[in-house]
Amino acid sequence: MRVLKKIRIWLLLFLCVISPSPVVAEVLYPDLPAQTTVIEQEQAEQAVVIVGAKQGKLDEALAEVSAQVPGSVIRKKFSTLYNGFSMSLSKKDLDTIKQIEHVERVDEIATYQAALEESVPFIGAGSVRGMLDESGHRLTGEGVKVAVIDTGIDYTHPDLVRNYKGGYDIIDSDLDPMETQASQGPPTLHGTHVAGIIAANGRVQGVAPEAEIYAYRALGPGGQGTTEQVIEAIEKAVEDGVDVLNLSLGNTVNGPDWPTSLALDKAVEQGVVAVTSSGNSGPAMWTVGSPGTAQQAISVGASAPPMQTPYITIPSESKELELNALKGTDRWTLRRDFEYVSAGFGMGDDYKELEARGKIAVVKRGRISFEEKVEIAQKAGAVGVLIYNNTSGPFVGGVEKRHSLPAGTLSQEDGEWLLEKLDSTHSSILRTMYRKEQDFLAPFSSRGPVTFSWEVKPDLVAPGMSIDSTVPGGYTGLDGTSMSAPHVAGAAALLVQAHPDWTPEQIKAALMNSAKQLFNKEGDLYAPHEQGAGRLQVNKSLELDTLVYPAAITFGKWSKNDIREKRSVTITVENQSDQTNTYHIDPPFVLLDGMEWHAPPAVTLKPKEKKEVTLSLDLMPSILGEGIHYDHIKITGGKEDILLPYILFMEEPDYPRVMAFQFVHGDKPNSYRYEYYLPGGAEESGIALYDPDTFQFITYLETRDYSDRGMVQAEITDVSLPPGTYKALVFAKQEGRQDIIESMIQIDGE
């Protein structure tokens, strides 16, 4: 067997889920629909609507509308891409319009606003423009060099042309880091979008609009690259003297010692602020991936800026169902009531005896991919498709190709409730309601903590839903922690301009110490391994007069068989103000049985003075319950109180024993290479193959005994299986627990 030499890095942009398998990789989709924030029309007597005419009946519909609603005004006629027209009319005439013979549909106009205009002020970046640096210049990122390690950027974009200062193309080994063009393979847009969030300076204004952008194209056609290429890009950027690195990329390896994570830690040690995405594999624990696991880098999760969130309801019922977007499909903006139908698993045969045209198809997850479910529903004439889970709870997913059909996902419970209502009451009408919401965690945002080191990750969160930014040839909106990280990178650039003598650790502390703690929709505080220190607040980070770092701490893993033990961590408290301050360190008010804290009663610091402080936790393991324990330590005495999140584990955590499976062709005929990651080692691991339709066991493709923690990589030769698609169950057993990854693989045969 030959060791697999290159590990593929996938952009953390949209989730690619082949149902019913769990997510095993994140990929870039180069041609995605705009995801913009819908701003509801103000309530008024007049309405502006888009009227869709029946096929070939546009002129007839126009004549009928003019005759039956004489007070209306035809605004624009569409006949190239849309068969219809826009018009303004009195709201009382809406029902009349809907009944006209040659009118197929009526939709109220929604107003769209670039989401950067929402997210940048939302994180406080707009209010810092009046602040000045030491030279009296406004805080705009002026003079700060930010490296975008990504798919390259369109440096000719009018919003980026002034910011672009150079870089390097790792893929083609030249000085032209332009995005992949269609003539070179699957085109990309991701790096341009990321660069715009950081420093666009035109129609769109980034967080630091006068920062200098250096682009390093480490991901080629289709947004794919290798660990080797990413590390080379990091090194070149550091050699070029950049101040801030942004890596909106990663894999699903949750471990602190992956090469890209280690490279980022080294970059930080050389004085560079490193910002990276946490991943798009949420909402479960342990889904944060490398390099978002790097200890010294700033790992960023995704939260919601102010946005209109869709909820599904039946008009006669009070229950509202939360809808998660299916990434890669049109944004769900349906504005009127539609009938819905049950379409089984959404396969072709499920529509044969079903009239789905003009209706919403409700389908169950499984049997075929999300891509196929959407394509089949679209061919059947559905106006939307809702995919409900085949196991308990909600889920997030995505498709690879762009689809104009709006699609969303529901929990198993909500999907079954819809079908129950359809069967029992014959109520077949669905209505979409929209609520303006903000500051909740995106369901796709990867959660921590990090295996083995038990560190808190992500470090903080930032807007990552419906973020409109620059792309080659224009603008579009995207979701992902890829969009969250550049908000933080831009904020770091502002801090570097304001405090050019600060270390990366101080920059990171300022961003985390000033973050806003977020609460879920039930009013409960998100845990540290979900939101880190909280949501980015740029203005607050620039106003801090105290820094505390590290800004999140771990007391590691304990065993109930351990005797009473005291563990200590050292934090630095730094007085940035011009006056002497006395600080008090307060552990949680509600103490668990078996835990006792020790900290100095007070720490007095002169202006610009800093001091190391030891915090100790005296713990009696036999009393404390198993599992994760977390809370916050409060430091008072500065202008603002600082909350320091901490975590600890009692007994071996319930983390996945296997992750990050990939299976590709080998270099010889009938050979294949595979890899998977064992975060804690395994007593036994391997790959079992099953028939994808009957789930009947076929054979073991590979088995191993007693593997150490880390990546398992090998090549299999002379695979004697009939060609076809197989369901692979990658398993690992360790300390009485077995975990599996399900994946579909292709065997081509001899």
Side-chain angles (χ1 to χ4, degrees):
M1 294 185 293
R2 187 168 60 84
V3 174
L4 179 60
K5 292 184 178 179
K6 289 188 177 182
I7 310 302
R8 191 166 301 283
I9 300 293
W10 300 98
L11 281 179
L12 297 173
L13 181 55
F14 287 104
L15 302 178
C16 176
V17 184
I18 305 301
S19 59
S21 303
V23 177
V24 296
E26 285 77 26
V27 298
L28 170 67
Y29 306 128
D31 188 18
L32 293 167
Q35 309 275 319
T36 48
T37 301
V38 180
I39 310 299
E40 291 184 298
Q41 290 291 97
E42 293 182 355
Q43 298 300 311
E45 292 301 314
Q46 289 294 114
V48 179
V49 297
I50 295 288
V51 179
K54 292 182 179 178
Q55 192 64 36
K57 300 295 182 180
L58 177 56
D59 291 336
E60 290 87 342
L62 279 165
E64 290 171 346
V65 166
S66 298
Q68 296 188 38
V69 190
S72 63
V73 177
I74 304 300
R75 294 161 60 91
K76 294 184 179 181
K77 179 180 175 181
F78 310 107
S79 58
T80 303
L81 300 176
Y82 187 82
N83 185 52
F85 52 94
S86 63
M87 64 181 295
S88 60
L89 75 167
S90 174
K91 284 191 172 181
K92 63 182 177 60
D93 292 327
L94 283 172
D95 289 337
T96 302
I97 293 290
K98 294 175 182 178
Q99 303 305 317
I100 291 176
E101 180 182 356
H102 292 111
V103 168
E104 184 172 63
R105 60 183 296 167
V106 179
D107 297 293
E108 288 196 49
I109 283 182
T111 303
Y112 296 86
Q113 180 176 341
L116 269 185
E117 295 174 14
E118 288 278 357
S119 66
V120 170
F122 185 60
I123 62 172
S127 64
V128 308
R129 302 293 185 245
M131 297 182 183
L132 305 178
D133 64 14
E134 295 174 345
S135 302
H137 295 180
R138 295 187 182 278
L139 291 183
T140 58
E142 179 187 353
V144 180
K145 299 179 179 180
V146 182
V148 177
I149 297 177
D150 215 293
T151 59
I153 70 168
D154 177 9
Y155 45 76
T156 66
H157 195 289
D159 289 11
L160 295 173
V161 66
R162 285 179 291 179
N163 305 79
Y164 175 72
K165 301 300 179 183
Y168 192 77
D169 187 335
I170 307 297
I171 304 299
D172 294 335
S173 300
D174 59 37
L175 296 173
D176 183 18
M178 174 62 77
E179 294 266 16
T180 298
Q181 309 295 299
S183 60
Q184 301 170 297
T188 58
L189 52 73
H190 190 265
T192 304
H193 196 275
V194 167
I197 296 171
I198 297 170
N201 194 3
R203 173 183 155 187
V204 168
Q205 290 280 306
V207 179
E210 293 189 358
E212 299 176 3
I213 292 294
Y214 290 78
Y216 298 85
R217 183 173 175 248
L219 306 166
Q224 298 179 10
T226 65
T227 298
E228 178 184 49
Q229 291 160 341
V230 172
I231 292 176
E232 183 180 353
I234 295 171
E235 289 188 346
K236 282 190 174 295
V238 173
E239 290 168 0
D240 289 343
V242 302
D243 303 296
V244 180
L245 294 168
N246 186 91
L247 290 89
S248 289
L249 50 80
N251 57 31
T252 56
V253 174
N254 183 335
D257 51 0
W258 194 247
T260 48
S261 296
L262 296 177
L264 281 190
D265 283 339
K266 291 291 186 183
V268 173
E269 290 173 6
Q270 294 191 37
V272 181
V273 179
V275 181
T276 180
S277 306
S278 69
N280 293 343
S281 300
M285 283 180 66
W286 309 105
T287 49
V288 62
S290 177
T293 55
Q295 182 180 14
Q296 298 185 65
I298 305 171
S299 177
V300 189
S303 61
M307 60 185 296
Q308 296 291 335
T309 306
Y311 289 84
I312 300 295
T313 186
I314 294 174
S316 59
E317 302 287 336
S318 60
K319 186 172 184 176
E320 297 176 4
L321 314 180
E322 186 173 359
L323 177 67
N324 289 319
L326 188 72
K327 308 305 178 186
T329 63
D330 257 10
R331 188 167 181 79
W332 192 278
T333 57
L334 301 182
R335 289 279 164 174
R336 66 178 179 87
D337 295 351
F338 288 94
E339 290 186 60
Y340 73 100
V341 292
S342 173
F345 281 96
M347 298 188 291
D349 290 345
D350 293 322
Y351 287 91
K352 283 187 176 179
E353 305 297 325
L354 193 66
E355 179 50 57
R357 184 165 298 278
K359 301 176 183 178
I360 296 172
V362 179
V363 304
K364 188 174 184 178
R365 183 182 184 184
R367 300 292 296 275
I368 58 175
S369 69
F370 297 147
E371 192 92 44
E372 293 170 291
K373 291 179 190 289
V374 174
E375 289 175 351
I376 294 170
Q378 194 159 21
K379 288 178 182 177
V383 297
V385 59
L386 295 172
I387 304 171
Y388 68 95
N389 208 353
N390 53 6
T391 57
S392 180
F395 72 102
V396 292
V399 294
E400 294 188 35
K401 300 175 185 176
R402 174 176 178 167
H403 291 278
S404 59
L405 185 71
T409 71
L410 298 170
S411 69
Q412 181 184 47
E413 296 78 9
D414 288 347
E416 291 177 349
W417 181 80
L418 283 181
L419 301 189
E420 178 186 325
K421 289 297 177 184
L422 191 62
D423 292 338
S424 62
T425 66
H426 304 289
S427 176
S428 60
I429 300 297
L430 285 185
R431 176 175 296 168
T432 306
M433 302 173 62
Y434 296 88
R435 286 210 183 108
K436 188 166 186 178
E437 297 180 330
Q438 63 190 44
D439 272 345
F440 59 88
L441 292 191
F444 57 77
S445 184
S446 290
R447 273 66 162 173
V450 182
T451 62
F452 191 69
S453 69
W454 319 122
E455 294 281 347
V456 174
K457 292 287 178 176
D459 294 296
L460 73 166
V461 297
M465 301 177 71
S466 298
I467 306 300
D468 194 77
S469 184
T470 50
V471 292
Y475 310 83
T476 197
L478 299 176
D479 292 358
T481 55
S482 285
M483 284 64 255
S484 307
H487 280 87
V488 175
L494 297 177
L495 281 164
V496 169
Q497 180 189 351
H499 303 284
D501 58 333
W502 275 13
T503 65
E505 189 172 32
Q506 289 171 303
I507 300 289
K508 181 178 179 179
L511 294 168
M512 294 179 67
N513 291 164
S514 59
K516 176 186 177 181
Q517 291 192 325
L518 302 188
F519 295 79
N520 62 26
K521 294 178 181 180
E522 287 71 44
D524 299 322
L525 185 68
Y526 286 110
H529 57 274
E530 295 175 313
Q531 67 168 327
R535 193 256 295 158
L536 172 67
Q537 297 186 115
V538 185
N539 55 329
K540 297 289 187 182
S541 68
L542 287 158
E543 295 168 353
L544 282 178
D545 66 350
T546 303
L547 298 179
V548 181
Y549 47 90
I553 56 179
T554 177
F555 286 96
K557 183 182 70 172
W558 308 59
S559 171
K560 294 187 77 68
N561 295 325
D562 292 339
I563 60 173
R564 183 165 186 160
E565 180 182 357
K566 179 187 288 189
R567 295 187 186 177
S568 300
V569 297
T570 299
I571 63 171
T572 298
V573 180
E574 185 172 333
N575 181 8
Q576 285 286 326
S577 75
D578 295 324
Q579 64 183 32
T580 298
N581 286 333
T582 298
Y583 299 95
H584 297 273
I585 300 170
D586 301 322
F589 288 111
V590 180
L591 297 179
L592 298 172
D593 289 339
M595 295 177 65
E596 183 178 336
W597 291 90
H598 299 276
V603 179
T604 300
L605 298 176
K606 296 177 182 178
K608 310 305 179 184
E609 185 182 8
K610 62 182 178 180
K611 185 175 182 180
E612 291 187 347
V613 178
T614 298
L615 302 177
S616 297
L617 178 59
D618 194 345
L619 188 143
M620 189 174 292
S622 60
I623 296 179
L624 205 61
E626 291 187 16
I628 184 172
H629 299 275
Y630 54 83
D631 210 322
H632 295 81
I633 298 165
K634 182 186 292 186
I635 293 90
T636 62
K639 185 163 55 176
E640 298 284 346
D641 293 343
I642 292 174
L643 295 174
L644 206 65
Y646 74 85
I647 61 173
L648 64 90
F649 290 91
M650 183 54 59
E651 297 296 350
E652 185 76 4
D654 191 23
Y655 60 84
R657 296 314 195 252
V658 60
M659 56 183 65
F661 173 66
Q662 291 193 52
F663 187 87
V664 296
H665 283 283
D667 297 330
K668 299 178 181 178
N670 201 31
S671 69
Y672 300 87
R673 290 177 287 163
Y674 72 84
E675 61 186 44
Y676 53 83
Y677 185 76
L678 301 172
E683 297 158 3
E684 183 181 350
S685 66
I687 307 170
L689 296 188
Y690 291 78
D691 185 290
D693 296 319
T694 65
F695 302 106
Q696 181 178 358
F697 173 74
I698 297 173
T699 187
Y700 285 105
L701 199 59
E702 187 86 325
T703 60
R704 290 171 173 264
D705 293 327
Y706 300 104
S707 299
D708 292 331
R709 182 176 69 88
M711 186 66 76
V712 174
Q713 307 163 331
E715 182 167 338
I716 306 172
T717 58
D718 300 324
V719 177
S720 57
L721 287 169
T725 301
Y726 294 84
K727 178 182 283 294
L729 265 62
V730 187
F731 64 92
K733 299 178 182 179
Q734 177 76 351
E735 297 184 357
R737 172 172 171 173
Q738 174 173 296
D739 284 322
I740 62 170
I741 295 174
E742 297 181 13
S743 180
M744 305 300 286
I745 66 172
Q746 186 69 32
I747 300 292
D748 294 333
E750 298 181 7

